[in-house]
């Protein structure tokens, strides 16, 4: 395969992603409509529709099934099988340590609060876009906490989206000869476009760039997968809990403190602070 062909494959992965994700959503709507008609005509359609609206996390899980299967198999045969499972697994874990997961947890906590500042700027500059985003969040089921919520919000997005963007797309761009910064920027922008919402697209592109950096830093998809899951957890359950129990003054202090904290933790991760001490003591 010519080196440059990898750019086309990276683009193809993104196109197929958009087709499968949106196609799965359409197929679910059509399928449930047919089922509703079959079981009770128009009344049956209403029953099935109400069921979906009451179980949005289940709906989200179903959307990820086919894309997840396709891209996990693709990643396996393109990147894991050629080098062997044992060698691939060793590469994925050799740079990871408990310390790096602690840093990632603190970083995600800080980033979620820094995003409050970004959201404020967007609300001032693009109020209609922020209104659309707020409505999307309120009707998405992300606060319907349950075991299905864990799978739909924490597990599947982290597993499937990291395999697609930081696994396939980023790696194919690198195989094509793109410098890491360029490849990482491209996959991050595509990650933002993938969310098909201006506000979400802006902050997910920024976060996607950081996730790509984590792949480079730890030479592992496990790091961004864990960070992605943490990001979704802190952005839903933790922020809801903070809003319920903390006064606005304290929340404001946390937001302000999170700006330098983000920079400090990124430096810690970049230079392996803590990891190095752990290796010397082992």
């Amino acid at each position: 395969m010519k080196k440059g062909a990898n750019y086309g494959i990276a683009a193809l992965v993104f196109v197929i992603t958009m087709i499968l994700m949106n196609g799965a959503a359409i197929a679910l709507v059509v399928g449930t409509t047919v089922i509703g008609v079959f079981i009770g005509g128009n009344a049956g359609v209403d029953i099935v529709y109400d069921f979906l609206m009451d179980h949005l996390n289940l709906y989200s899980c179903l959307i990820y099934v086919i894309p997840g299967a396709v891209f996990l198999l693709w990643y396996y045969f393109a990147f894991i099988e050629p080098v062997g499972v044992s060698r691939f697994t060793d590469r994925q874990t050799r740079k990871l340590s408990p310390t790096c997961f602690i840093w990632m947890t603190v970083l995600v906590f800080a980033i979620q609060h820094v995003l409050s500042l970004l959201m404020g700027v967007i609300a001032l500059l693009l109020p209609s876009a922020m209104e659309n985003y707020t409505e999307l969040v309120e009707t998405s089921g992300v606060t319907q906490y349950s075991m299905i919520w864990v799978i739909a919000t924490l597990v599947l997005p982290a597993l499937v989206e990291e395999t697609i963007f930081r696994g396939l797309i980023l790696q194919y761009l690198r195989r094509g000869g793109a410098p890491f910064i360029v490849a990482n920027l491209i996959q991050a922008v595509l990650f933002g476009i993938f969310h098909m919402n201006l506000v979400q697209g802006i902050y997910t592109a920024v976060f996607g760039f950081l996730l790509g950096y984590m792949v480079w830093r730890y030479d592992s998809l496990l790091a961004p997968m864990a960070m992605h899951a943490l990001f979704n957890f802190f952005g839903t359950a933790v922020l809801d809990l903070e809003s319920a129990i903390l006064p606005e003054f304290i929340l404001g202090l946390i937001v302000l403190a999170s700006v330098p904290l983000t920079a400090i933790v990124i430096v810690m991760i970049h230079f392996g602070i803590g990891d190095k001490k752990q290796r010397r003591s082992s």
Side-chain angles (χ1 to χ4, degrees):
M1 181 188 296
K2 292 184 178 180
K3 199 172 183 181
N6 288 284
Y7 292 109
I9 298 176
L12 180 63
V13 170
F14 180 70
V15 170
I16 294 175
T17 297
M18 299 303 287
I19 292 173
L20 288 180
M21 294 297 287
N22 290 287
I26 294 171
L28 275 173
V29 171
V30 173
T32 52
T33 300
V34 171
I35 293 172
V37 171
F38 180 77
I39 65 174
N42 291 333
V45 172
D46 291 338
I47 291 172
V48 174
Y49 177 80
D50 290 341
F51 176 82
L52 278 181
M53 292 302 98
D54 290 337
H55 299 83
L56 288 172
N57 287 311
L58 175 61
Y59 176 77
S60 180
C61 287
L62 294 174
I63 289 176
Y64 276 101
V65 170
I66 294 178
V70 169
F71 291 113
L72 287 168
L73 288 172
W74 188 333
Y75 186 76
Y76 174 82
F77 286 109
F79 294 97
I80 300 177
E81 196 271 340
V83 301
V85 174
S86 60
R87 286 183 59 193
F88 181 84
T89 302
D90 177 66
R91 191 186 77 190
Q92 292 287 299
T93 57
R94 70 171 180 262
K95 291 185 178 181
L96 298 175
S97 70
T99 304
C100 82
F101 287 103
I102 293 172
W103 286 133
M104 282 191 285
T105 302
V106 177
L107 180 59
V108 169
F109 173 83
I111 288 172
Q112 279 290 356
H113 292 88
V114 170
L115 284 178
S116 298
L117 298 175
L118 176 61
M119 291 296 193
V121 172
I122 294 174
L124 288 174
L125 299 178
L126 302 166
S128 61
M130 182 56 73
E131 288 177 8
N132 291 336
Y133 172 73
T134 302
E135 183 179 350
L136 174 68
V137 171
E138 290 174 350
T139 59
S140 65
V142 295
T143 56
Q144 296 176 0
Y145 302 116
S146 65
M147 285 305 300
I148 295 294
W149 172 85
V150 171
I151 298 171
T153 304
L154 308 185
V155 177
L156 287 178
L159 178 64
V160 178
E161 293 172 17
E162 292 311 308
T163 298
I164 294 170
F165 291 93
R166 266 61 69 179
L168 292 167
I169 292 178
L170 180 59
Q171 299 310 317
Y172 276 123
L173 290 172
R174 296 288 287 129
R175 279 186 175 184
F180 172 74
I181 293 295
V182 174
N184 197 26
L185 181 61
I186 292 172
Q187 68 80 19
V189 171
L190 293 177
F191 187 54
I193 295 171
F194 164 76
H195 288 85
M196 299 179 67
N197 177 277
L198 181 59
V199 174
Q200 196 173 14
I202 292 172
Y203 74 73
T204 53
V206 174
F207 186 59
F209 188 85
L210 184 57
L211 290 171
Y213 165 78
M214 300 302 288
V215 173
W216 174 84
R217 172 63 183 83
Y218 293 110
D219 194 24
S220 172
L221 265 185
L222 297 177
M225 283 179 178
M227 195 163 167
H228 194 148
L230 285 168
F231 182 82
N232 288 354
F233 176 68
F234 276 89
T236 52
V238 173
L239 289 186
D240 277 354
L241 181 62
E242 287 182 351
S243 298
I245 66 175
L246 295 178
E248 290 188 6
F249 174 72
I250 298 298
L251 290 175
L253 290 178
I254 292 174
V255 170
L256 293 177
S258 292
V259 176
L261 180 60
T262 298
I264 291 169
V265 175
I266 290 175
V267 170
M268 296 292 188
I269 289 174
H270 185 78
F271 291 103
I273 306 300
D275 289 345
K276 293 179 181 179
K277 292 179 180 179
Q278 183 177 4
R279 284 197 293 268
R280 282 198 289 266
S281 63
S282 59

